Coordinates of all heavy atoms in Angstrom, one line a residue:
I478 N -24.9 18.3 10.0 CA -23.4 18.2 10.2 C -22.8 19.4 9.7 O -23.3 20.1 8.8 CB -22.9 16.9 9.5 CG1 -23.2 17.0 8.0 CG2 -23.3 15.6 10.1 CD1 -22.5 15.9 7.1
Q480 N -18.9 21.1 8.4 CA -17.8 20.6 7.5 C -16.8 19.8 8.3 O -16.4 18.7 7.8 CB -17.0 21.8 6.9 CG -17.8 22.5 5.8 CD -16.9 23.4 5.0 OE1 -15.8 23.0 4.5 NE2 -17.3 24.7 4.9
D481 N -16.4 20.2 9.5 CA -15.4 19.5 10.3 C -16.0 18.1 10.7 O -15.2 17.1 10.7 CB -15.0 20.3 11.5 CG -14.2 21.5 11.1 OD1 -13.6 21.6 10.0 OD2 -14.2 22.5 11.9
E482 N -17.2 18.1 11.0 CA -17.9 16.8 11.4 C -17.9 15.9 10.2 O -17.7 14.7 10.4 CB -19.3 17.0 11.9 CG -19.3 17.7 13.3 CD -20.7 18.1 13.7 OE1 -21.6 18.0 12.9 OE2 -20.9 18.4 14.9
A483 N -18.2 16.4 9.0 CA -18.2 15.6 7.8 C -16.8 15.0 7.6 O -16.7 13.8 7.2 CB -18.6 16.4 6.6
V484 N -15.7 15.8 7.7 CA -14.4 15.3 7.5 C -14.1 14.2 8.6 O -13.5 13.2 8.2 CB -13.4 16.5 7.6 CG1 -11.9 15.9 7.6 CG2 -13.6 17.4 6.5
R485 N -14.4 14.4 9.8 CA -14.2 13.4 10.9 C -14.9 12.1 10.6 O -14.3 11.0 10.7 CB -14.6 14.0 12.2 CG -14.5 13.0 13.4 CD -15.0 13.5 14.7 NE -16.4 13.9 14.5 CZ -17.4 13.0 14.5 NH1 -17.2 11.7 14.7 NH2 -18.7 13.4 14.4
M486 N -16.2 12.2 10.1 CA -16.9 11.0 9.8 C -16.2 10.3 8.6 O -16.2 9.0 8.6 CB -18.3 11.4 9.4 CG -19.2 11.8 10.6 SD -20.8 12.4 10.1 CE -21.5 10.8 9.4
A487 N -15.7 11.0 7.6 CA -15.0 10.4 6.5 C -13.8 9.7 6.9 O -13.5 8.6 6.5 CB -14.7 11.5 5.4
L488 N -13.0 10.3 7.8 CA -11.8 9.6 8.3 C -12.1 8.4 9.1 O -11.2 7.5 9.2 CB -11.0 10.6 9.2 CG -10.5 11.9 8.4 CD1 -9.7 12.8 9.4 CD2 -9.6 11.5 7.2
E489 N -13.3 8.3 9.7 CA -13.6 7.1 10.5 C -14.3 6.1 9.6 O -14.1 4.9 9.9 CB -14.6 7.5 11.6 CG -13.9 8.4 12.7 CD -14.9 8.8 13.7 OE1 -16.1 8.5 13.6 OE2 -14.5 9.5 14.7
N490 N -15.1 6.4 8.6 CA -15.9 5.5 7.9 C -15.5 5.2 6.5 O -16.0 4.2 5.9 CB -17.4 6.0 7.9 CG -17.9 6.1 9.3 OD1 -17.6 5.4 10.2 ND2 -18.7 7.2 9.6
N491 N -14.7 6.1 5.9 CA -14.4 5.9 4.5 C -13.7 4.6 4.2 O -12.6 4.3 4.8 CB -13.6 7.1 3.9 CG -13.5 7.1 2.4 OD1 -12.6 6.5 1.9 ND2 -14.4 7.8 1.8
L492 N -14.2 3.7 3.3 CA -13.6 2.4 3.1 C -12.3 2.6 2.4 O -11.4 1.8 2.6 CB -14.6 1.6 2.3 CG -15.9 1.2 2.9 CD1 -16.7 0.3 2.0 CD2 -15.7 0.4 4.2
G493 N -12.2 3.5 1.5 CA -10.9 3.7 0.8 C -9.8 4.0 1.8 O -8.6 3.6 1.7
L494 N -10.1 4.9 2.9 CA -9.1 5.1 3.9 C -8.8 3.9 4.7 O -7.6 3.7 5.1 CB -9.6 6.3 4.8 CG -9.5 7.7 4.2 CD1 -10.0 8.7 5.1 CD2 -8.0 8.0 3.8
H495 N -9.8 3.1 5.0 CA -9.5 1.9 5.8 C -8.6 1.0 5.0 O -7.7 0.4 5.6 CB -10.9 1.1 6.0 CG -11.7 1.7 7.1 ND1 -11.2 1.7 8.4 CD2 -12.9 2.3 7.1 CE1 -12.2 2.3 9.2 NE2 -13.2 2.6 8.4
R498 N -5.0 2.6 5.1 CA -4.3 2.6 6.4 C -3.6 1.2 6.6 O -2.7 1.1 7.5 CB -5.4 2.8 7.6 CG -5.8 4.2 7.7 CD -6.6 4.4 9.0 NE -7.0 5.8 9.2 CZ -8.3 6.2 8.9 NH1 -9.2 5.3 8.4 NH2 -8.6 7.5 9.1
R628 N -3.8 10.5 0.6 CA -5.2 10.0 0.5 C -6.0 10.7 1.6 O -7.2 11.0 1.3 CB -5.2 8.5 0.8 CG -6.6 7.8 0.6 CD -7.1 8.0 -0.8 NE -8.4 7.4 -0.9 CZ -8.7 6.2 -1.3 NH1 -7.7 5.4 -1.6 NH2 -9.9 5.7 -1.4
I629 N -5.5 10.9 2.8 CA -6.3 11.6 3.8 C -6.6 13.0 3.3 O -7.7 13.6 3.5 CB -5.5 11.6 5.1 CG1 -5.5 10.2 5.7 CG2 -6.2 12.5 6.1 CD1 -4.7 10.0 6.9
Q631 N -6.6 14.2 0.2 CA -7.6 14.2 -0.9 C -9.0 13.9 -0.4 O -10.0 14.5 -0.9 CB -7.1 13.2 -1.9 CG -5.9 13.5 -2.7 CD -5.4 12.4 -3.6 OE1 -5.9 11.3 -3.5 NE2 -4.5 12.8 -4.5
T632 N -9.1 13.0 0.6 CA -10.5 12.7 1.1 C -11.1 13.9 1.8 O -12.2 14.2 1.6 CB -10.4 11.5 2.0 OG1 -9.9 10.3 1.3 CG2 -11.8 11.1 2.5
S633 N -10.2 14.6 2.6 CA -10.7 15.8 3.3 C -11.2 16.8 2.3 O -12.2 17.5 2.5 CB -9.6 16.3 4.2 OG -9.3 15.3 5.2
R634 N -10.3 17.0 1.3 CA -10.7 18.0 0.2 C -12.0 17.6 -0.5 O -12.9 18.5 -0.7 CB -9.5 18.1 -0.8 CG -9.8 19.1 -1.9 CD -8.8 19.0 -3.0 NE -8.9 17.6 -3.6 CZ -8.0 17.1 -4.4 NH1 -6.9 17.8 -4.8 NH2 -8.2 15.9 -5.0
N635 N -12.1 16.3 -0.8 CA -13.3 15.9 -1.5 C -14.5 16.0 -0.7 O -15.6 16.4 -1.2 CB -13.1 14.4 -2.0 CG -12.1 14.3 -3.0 OD1 -11.7 15.2 -3.7 ND2 -11.5 13.1 -3.2
V636 N -14.4 15.8 0.6 CA -15.5 15.9 1.5 C -16.0 17.4 1.6 O -17.2 17.7 1.6 CB -15.2 15.4 2.9 CG1 -16.2 15.7 4.0 CG2 -15.1 13.8 2.9
R637 N -15.0 18.3 1.8 CA -15.3 19.7 1.9 C -16.0 20.2 0.6 O -16.9 21.0 0.6 CB -14.1 20.5 2.2 CG -13.6 20.2 3.6 CD -12.4 21.1 4.0 NE -11.9 20.7 5.3 CZ -12.3 21.1 6.5 NH1 -13.4 21.9 6.5 NH2 -11.8 20.7 7.6
Q708 N -23.3 11.9 -3.1 CA -21.8 12.0 -3.2 C -21.2 12.2 -1.8 O -20.2 11.6 -1.5 CB -21.4 13.1 -4.1 CG -19.9 13.3 -4.3 CD -19.6 14.4 -5.3 OE1 -20.5 15.1 -5.8 NE2 -18.3 14.5 -5.6
L709 N -21.8 13.1 -1.0 CA -21.3 13.3 0.3 C -21.5 12.1 1.2 O -20.7 11.7 2.0 CB -22.0 14.5 1.0 CG -21.6 14.9 2.4 CD1 -20.1 15.3 2.4 CD2 -22.4 16.1 2.9
R710 N -22.6 11.4 1.0 CA -22.9 10.2 1.8 C -21.9 9.1 1.6 O -21.4 8.4 2.5 CB -24.3 9.7 1.4 CG -24.7 8.4 2.2 CD -26.1 7.9 1.7 NE -27.1 8.8 2.2 CZ -27.9 9.6 1.4 NH1 -27.6 9.6 0.1 NH2 -28.8 10.3 1.9
T711 N -21.5 8.9 0.3 CA -20.6 7.8 0.0 C -19.2 8.2 0.6 O -18.4 7.3 0.8 CB -20.5 7.6 -1.5 OG1 -20.2 8.9 -2.1 CG2 -21.8 7.1 -2.0
L712 N -18.9 9.4 0.8 CA -17.6 9.8 1.3 C -17.5 9.7 2.8 O -16.4 9.4 3.4 CB -17.3 11.3 0.9 CG -16.9 11.5 -0.6 CD1 -16.8 13.0 -0.9 CD2 -15.6 10.8 -1.0
I713 N -18.6 10.0 3.5 CA -18.5 10.1 5.0 C -19.2 9.0 5.7 O -19.0 8.8 7.0 CB -19.1 11.4 5.5 CG1 -20.6 11.5 5.3 CG2 -18.4 12.6 4.7 CD1 -21.2 12.8 5.8
M714 N -20.0 8.1 5.1 CA -20.8 7.1 5.8 C -20.3 5.7 5.4 O -19.8 5.5 4.3 CB -22.3 7.3 5.5 CG -22.9 8.6 6.1 SD -24.7 8.7 5.8 CE -25.2 7.4 6.9
N715 N -20.6 4.8 6.3 CA -20.2 3.4 6.0 C -21.4 2.7 5.3 O -22.5 2.7 5.8 CB -19.9 2.7 7.3 CG -19.3 1.3 7.1 OD1 -19.5 0.7 6.1 ND2 -18.4 0.9 8.0

Side-chain angles (χ1 to χ4, degrees):
I478 56 174
Q480 283 194 55
D481 294 337
E482 289 174 346
V484 172
R485 178 185 56 80
M486 292 176 62
L488 298 181
E489 292 177 356
N490 300 324
N491 190 272
L492 295 181
L494 284 180
H495 281 298
R498 285 192 180 99
R628 184 62 183 268
I629 292 175
Q631 290 176 346
T632 301
S633 301
R634 180 195 62 192
N635 293 339
V636 169
R637 294 185 184 277
Q708 183 178 3
L709 182 61
R710 178 184 290 110
T711 55
L712 287 172
I713 68 175
M714 296 181 66
N715 192 329

